[in-house]
Amino acid sequence: MRSSNEEIYLSMGISKTVYDYGCTIEKSLRDRFDEVDSNAEYNQLKVVNAMQQHQVSEACLLGTTGYGYNDLGRDTLEAVYAATFHTEDALVRPQITCGTHALALSLMSNLRPGDELLSPVGKPYDTLEEVIGIRPSKGSLAEYGVTYRQVDLLPDGSFDYDKIRENINEKTHLVTIQRSKGYQTRPTLSVQRIGELIAFIKGIKPDVICMVDNCYGEFVETIEPSDVGADMIVGSLIKNPGGGLAPIGGYIAGKKECVENAAYRLTSPGLGKEVGASLGILKDFYQGFFLAPTVTAGALKGAIFAANVYEKLGFAVVPNGSESRHDIIQAVTFGQPEGVIGFCQGIQAAAPVDSHVTPEPWDMPGYDAQVIMAAGAFVSGSSIELSADGPIKPPYAVYFQGGLTWQHAKFGILKSLQVLVQKGLVTEEQIRKACRTTLKNTNPVEKAQNKIY
């Protein structure tokens, strides 16, 4: 006889108090989840439409070796990405090793000695600091004579338009806009806000290239930054657009000239997009992109759930439990390293792979502080799968993302809370109190149906 959901949660180490709290939070989010599913339906049809438009066939799923000349599947996939993101061209390759590589490729191929790079949204993600030369590194843009300026966001998270205007000059050739928060607790940028920023910048200097780091943002909304004026959008295939199936890879989609420049930098002048074997990986790329809208929706539900679970327990969360979402990342600030470590250990314990492993902080390449990462994933380092990470430095915030299914994301969050209870960082009485408060704010019909507490 089949066990109930509650029984299997309890058998997997979740206490009844934590389980009941999770159920209460989930019931309070029904309307939000319906909205997420509606967006996923729109994006699913957008991807299918692009695949049909470019006549994806069984032959496209086969790979090439060697030089990769006339690779039908590779070239069609890039056309599908361009059609989905409404761009002139796209570069989608397993030879792009990660998101940082895709961003570095975009920058280094479209900037020349004497040019200046501007970030109008504050400090970029940690791994880009060495790419740019903020932290000295071999082969950085700074070594090639590319200068860098940065305009921080205002305290309320808005753009400092006056300083942005001051910092755009005759050398400004490329503007990089990071959509997601990275290891910061600032708001993620909506596509609409990105469009407003791009329009402002283009109004000052129309020929400047606007590049958007789109990591963690694909398919969260029904439009992308390329729909609001971005010349390039860049991301990783082991995040949203890979759908959990892509084992490696990155993409650059945008203006034809920008994409061509990136292709010549990736391979060689004179070769560009014409070479680059797909090595039998195309089926995963296609099927992953097909699944991406619904996989992203599951991860997004997990992020909304996490925000509400931890916010109602008194922790600072970004975004908060009710505001609109523009990426799949959820930041939770604990104010102490033990909270970050405990959270990540709970996420790891919920994984389908390596759940028996206990993550610890370590000196990770590209970061200026120890980092802890929980990622018991089928694809190593895949952050569209259930994962969490964070630097061990103030304000001691953890960054949660992923979950190939909503159900797994839910289990991971409950497991993270269970570990914090076991470590004495959260008490069961705190959880019961938060549950009662949530029930008070639940509509009468649902409250009557919920017999908890």
Side-chain angles (χ1 to χ4, degrees):
M1 187 173 177
R2 185 178 79 86
S3 299
S4 67
N5 286 4
E6 180 179 341
E7 287 173 325
I8 196 164
Y9 270 102
L10 267 55
S11 73
M12 295 178 73
I14 304 299
S15 71
K16 180 168 173 53
T17 300
V18 170
Y19 173 76
D20 287 346
Y21 179 49
C23 289
T24 303
I25 295 292
E26 181 181 356
K27 287 179 181 179
S28 74
L29 295 172
R30 285 173 176 166
D31 290 344
R32 292 287 304 279
F33 284 6
D34 285 347
E35 182 183 353
V36 170
D37 287 337
S38 177
N39 286 353
E41 183 177 4
Y42 181 92
N43 286 323
Q44 179 71 86
L45 294 173
K46 188 165 67 172
V47 171
V48 172
N49 186 44
M51 289 185 168
Q52 292 179 348
Q53 176 186 340
H54 289 282
Q55 299 182 335
V56 174
S57 64
E58 187 176 6
C60 292
L61 309 182
L62 307 176
T64 54
T65 58
Y67 295 115
Y69 291 138
N70 302 312
D71 189 323
L72 173 67
R74 179 197 67 205
D75 295 345
T76 303
L77 179 66
E78 291 176 340
V80 166
Y81 264 71
T84 301
F85 293 140
H86 304 135
T87 60
E88 294 176 1
D89 202 356
L91 185 69
V92 187
R93 303 290 170 112
Q95 290 83 9
I96 302 175
T97 58
C98 60
T100 299
H101 185 194
L103 290 162
L105 184 62
S106 302
L107 293 171
M108 292 179 170
S109 60
N110 285 285
L111 287 163
R112 298 289 182 268
D115 287 343
E116 189 158 270
L117 170 67
L118 171 67
S119 172
V121 297
K123 187 177 80 71
Y125 187 68
D126 295 43
T127 57
L128 279 185
E129 291 184 12
E130 290 188 64
V131 172
I132 294 167
I134 299 170
R135 280 186 283 138
S137 181
K138 290 185 180 298
S140 69
L141 288 168
E143 281 198 343
Y144 284 87
V146 175
T147 54
Y148 171 73
R149 291 192 187 209
Q150 175 180 309
V151 177
D152 292 333
L153 295 172
L154 294 171
D156 64 356
S158 61
F159 303 125
D160 191 339
Y161 284 114
D162 290 338
K163 284 195 176 177
I164 293 170
R165 185 186 297 276
E166 289 174 14
N167 281 274
I168 294 175
N169 57 68
E170 68 281 355
K171 291 174 59 180
T172 309
H173 187 69
L174 194 151
V175 171
T176 179
I177 301 168
Q178 184 173 295
R179 179 176 179 177
S180 192
K181 63 182 70 65
Y183 283 159
Q184 301 175 67
T185 51
R186 70 149 169 93
T188 292
L189 304 177
S190 69
V191 174
Q192 179 183 344
R193 289 189 67 204
I194 290 170
E196 292 167 357
L197 178 59
I198 291 172
F200 177 79
I201 291 166
K202 296 275 190 179
I204 298 168
K205 192 172 185 184
D207 62 344
V208 74
I209 297 170
C210 289
M211 181 192 84
V212 176
D213 174 353
N214 208 28
C215 288
Y216 302 106
E218 298 92 349
F219 300 124
V220 172
E221 301 183 48
T222 55
I223 57 173
E224 301 291 338
S226 47
D227 293 310
V228 294
D231 298 299
M232 284 189 289
I233 59 172
V234 183
S236 164
L237 299 195
I238 61 170
K239 297 183 175 69
N240 303 20
L245 293 184
I248 193 173
Y251 78 90
I252 301 164
K255 296 286 180 66
K256 191 170 186 64
E257 182 180 1
C258 294
V259 174
E260 283 183 345
N261 288 342
Y264 288 128
R265 177 80 187 205
L266 177 64
T267 60
S268 168
L271 299 180
K273 293 181 70 177
E274 298 301 317
V275 299
S278 50
L279 300 172
I281 211 169
L282 286 172
K283 179 181 176 294
D284 291 337
F285 279 12
Y286 275 104
Q287 192 171 12
F289 196 55
F290 170 78
L291 292 173
T294 51
V295 170
T296 299
L300 190 55
K301 289 178 183 178
I304 294 169
F305 181 73
N308 282 270
V309 163
Y310 281 98
E311 182 178 56
K312 288 173 171 57
L313 288 169
F315 295 99
V317 299
V318 178
N320 68 33
S322 58
E323 66 186 290
S324 61
R325 302 289 314 207
H326 309 293
D327 71 354
I328 64 168
I329 296 178
Q330 182 58 50
V332 183
T333 299
F334 290 103
Q336 55 180 322
E338 293 79 10
V340 175
I341 294 167
F343 184 102
C344 288
Q345 289 176 347
I347 295 297
Q348 187 73 35
V353 179
D354 287 334
S355 63
H356 57 286
V357 173
T358 302
E360 297 288 349
W362 65 299
D363 297 311
M364 189 173 178
Y367 297 86
D368 63 356
Q370 284 198 323
V371 175
I372 184 169
M373 289 195 164
F378 296 102
V379 174
S380 179
S382 171
S383 44
I384 189 58
E385 299 187 51
L386 185 73
S387 52
D389 50 272
I392 306 302
K393 63 181 181 180
Y396 299 108
V398 72
Y399 300 84
F400 164 79
Q401 63 274 321
L404 296 180
T405 66
W406 144 241
Q407 291 80 5
H408 188 220
K410 175 185 175 181
F411 175 56
I413 289 299
L414 295 185
K415 195 73 172 175
S416 73
L417 180 55
Q418 191 68 57
V419 170
L420 295 180
V421 170
Q422 291 165 359
K423 289 180 176 287
L425 300 172
V426 177
T427 68
E428 291 214 342
E429 180 52 37
Q430 281 179 278
I431 296 171
R432 283 190 284 268
K433 183 179 178 182
C435 193
R436 290 192 293 269
T437 301
T438 304
L439 277 173
K440 285 179 184 177
N441 297 324
T442 303
N443 73 59
V445 174
E446 289 187 356
K447 188 175 180 180
Q449 294 171 344
N450 193 334
K451 302 300 183 183
I452 302 165
Y453 301 102

